[in-house]
Amino acid sequence: MSAESSERAPHAGTGASYASAGVDIEAGDHAVELMKKWVKKATRPEVVGGLGGFAGLFDASALKRYERPLLASATDGVGTKVDIARRMGVYDTIGHDLVGMVVDDLVVCGAEPLFMTDYICVGKVHPERVAAIVKGIAEGCVLAGCALVGGETAEHPGLLGADEFDVAGAGTGVVEADRVLGADRIRTGDAVIAMASSGLHSNGYSLVRHVLFDRAGWELDREVPEFGRTLGEELLEPTRIYSLDCLALTRTAEVHAFSHITGGGLANNLARVIPDHLRATVDRSTWTPGAVFDTVGRLGGVERLELEKTLNMGVGMVAVVPQESVDVALTALADRGVDAWVAGGITDRGDHTEAVALTGDYAG
């Protein structure tokens, strides 16, 4: 060996390792141990095996009761709301957001959510933090009636800061083929029923953060009288999970379609289930958006149209039902603690080009 190559060779015991590259396998194993008790709570009878395998197992023979079962799948994340959780040091609520974003997309077609998997990417594994995130996901799955059958925690040193992380998830559901909900069921004269959101849910946080932090200079610990709590507490309010409410509604009343109001706002998301020859008219005067929406608009000088195409404005889910089902539907939702109201109706589109029209001014 030449002198030059000897000088470049590492000394014994100083070679590169996964740990020296920033990945802590032991910390990851510890995180798995901490999260196991929460994952066990988010299960269904069809789940086979436990946490730790290479894949989650679900007994598909349970689908034999269906004449023609259609599997529905959806995937989503939480977006930049994770930055609020990081700055607040509160990690057990954004899991609710993740589950809500996924399962409420599934239920739109009438599908019952069956199971979810999650993906958590971190700059550095802090076992207690990862376990808290999974705790929230598991609790969300319980609220949605689905199982958490597996997931992945990835450590990305050098790409993410030690305290940075992101979460994503995928879900699978099932619906009988002849009971799929959607645009082909909607008829002239149907009513549009709005279900209240719990707040911002998990969309539009890039705009919200820009307005409240960059422009207004507010801090997360600021007490906001209009919110009745701190800014951080308002921004971390978990997404409402509607899946069991929607499924219960389909068993109680005739439902033609659902629309999950996420990124893009009420008009754009409702338009996705309106057939080409029909039009939904939604009257803003039927509800008052929560204070957080007015605050973002006022502090940022955000025009109403921009707010409406970015935020849910107080409506998290919409059901389209025939007129004769309205009273039964509203009663069923009220019995489940869901604030709901008739916000509009379906008419022929005629010469109008838009699928959804928002009319009037918000109440209050």
Side-chain angles (χ1 to χ4, degrees):
M1 181 178 292
S2 69
E4 181 178 359
S5 60
S6 296
E7 290 171 358
R8 291 182 178 179
H11 296 292
T14 62
S17 67
Y18 216 10
S20 67
V23 177
D24 190 339
I25 294 176
E26 288 75 18
D29 292 341
H30 183 40
V32 172
E33 288 301 314
L34 292 176
M35 69 178 69
K36 280 184 177 180
K37 67 176 181 179
W38 301 111
V39 177
K40 286 181 180 179
K41 297 177 184 293
T43 190
R44 288 174 55 117
E46 303 93 339
V47 175
V48 178
L51 189 66
F54 286 91
L57 300 176
F58 191 91
D59 186 357
S61 68
L63 306 183
K64 289 181 179 179
R65 70 179 187 271
Y66 290 85
E67 292 292 326
R68 185 188 169 203
L70 299 183
L71 293 180
S73 65
T75 185
D76 212 334
V78 179
T80 60
K81 190 171 184 175
V82 297
D83 185 59
I84 308 299
R86 179 188 64 81
R87 292 172 61 178
M88 291 281 290
V90 177
Y91 304 99
D92 62 353
T93 62
I94 57 170
H96 289 231
D97 296 291
L98 178 63
V99 175
M101 290 297 103
V102 173
V103 301
D104 288 338
D105 277 354
L106 294 175
V107 81
V108 162
C109 69
E112 175 189 0
L114 298 175
F115 56 85
M116 275 192 64
T117 56
D118 65 66
Y119 176 78
I120 304 171
C121 182
V122 301
K124 178 178 176 58
V125 171
H126 301 281
E128 291 77 11
R129 184 179 303 174
V130 173
I133 295 171
V134 174
K135 170 180 179 286
I137 297 171
E139 290 174 339
C141 285
V142 171
L143 293 174
C146 69
L148 180 60
V149 297
E152 173 74 7
T153 300
E155 193 168 25
H156 287 181
L159 298 182
L160 295 175
D163 289 328
E164 293 179 332
F165 67 96
D166 198 9
V167 296
T172 298
V174 63
V175 59
E176 191 70 74
D178 63 4
R179 300 195 67 180
V180 173
L181 304 179
D184 60 326
R185 292 181 179 265
I186 296 179
R187 301 288 183 266
T188 300
D190 283 355
V192 174
I193 293 179
M195 303 180 212
S197 68
S198 57
L200 294 168
H201 283 186
S202 190
N203 302 104
Y205 271 75
S206 293
L207 172 64
V208 171
R209 290 164 51 247
H210 172 66
V211 168
L212 298 181
F213 302 150
D214 300 338
R215 293 177 66 104
W218 283 17
E219 299 292 339
L220 288 169
D221 60 358
R222 181 190 182 101
E223 292 286 345
V224 184
E226 295 90 338
F227 302 163
R229 53 184 172 178
T230 66
L231 174 63
E233 290 168 337
E234 178 69 27
L235 297 186
L236 268 192
E237 179 66 36
T239 298
R240 173 142 199 169
I241 298 173
Y242 299 92
S243 59
L244 292 183
D245 302 317
C246 290
L247 291 173
L249 186 58
T250 63
R251 293 189 293 267
T252 305
E254 182 179 351
V255 178
H256 289 166
F258 288 115
S259 178
H260 187 197
I261 312 306
T262 56
L266 175 55
N268 287 341
N269 282 286
L270 182 54
R272 295 165 68 178
V273 298
I274 302 300
D276 291 341
H277 65 290
L278 298 180
R279 182 176 187 243
T281 301
V282 177
D283 184 357
R284 298 184 185 95
S285 69
T286 59
W287 81 96
T288 303
V292 67
F293 301 101
D294 176 70
T295 299
V296 172
R298 176 172 46 82
L299 291 179
V302 186
E303 295 182 358
R304 184 169 70 181
L305 180 60
E306 183 68 19
L307 281 177
E308 291 178 338
K309 72 178 185 181
T310 307
L311 308 177
N312 67 58
M313 300 305 290
V315 177
M317 181 71 76
V318 166
V320 180
V321 307
Q323 284 292 336
E324 58 268 25
S325 293
V326 168
D327 290 343
V328 173
L330 291 176
T331 298
L333 290 170
D335 288 345
R336 295 186 61 84
V338 180
D339 182 15
W341 63 94
V342 175
I346 305 297
T347 60
D348 288 325
R349 188 171 302 192
D351 296 330
H352 299 286
T353 58
E354 74 275 16
V356 177
L358 301 183
T359 64
D361 295 318
Y362 293 111

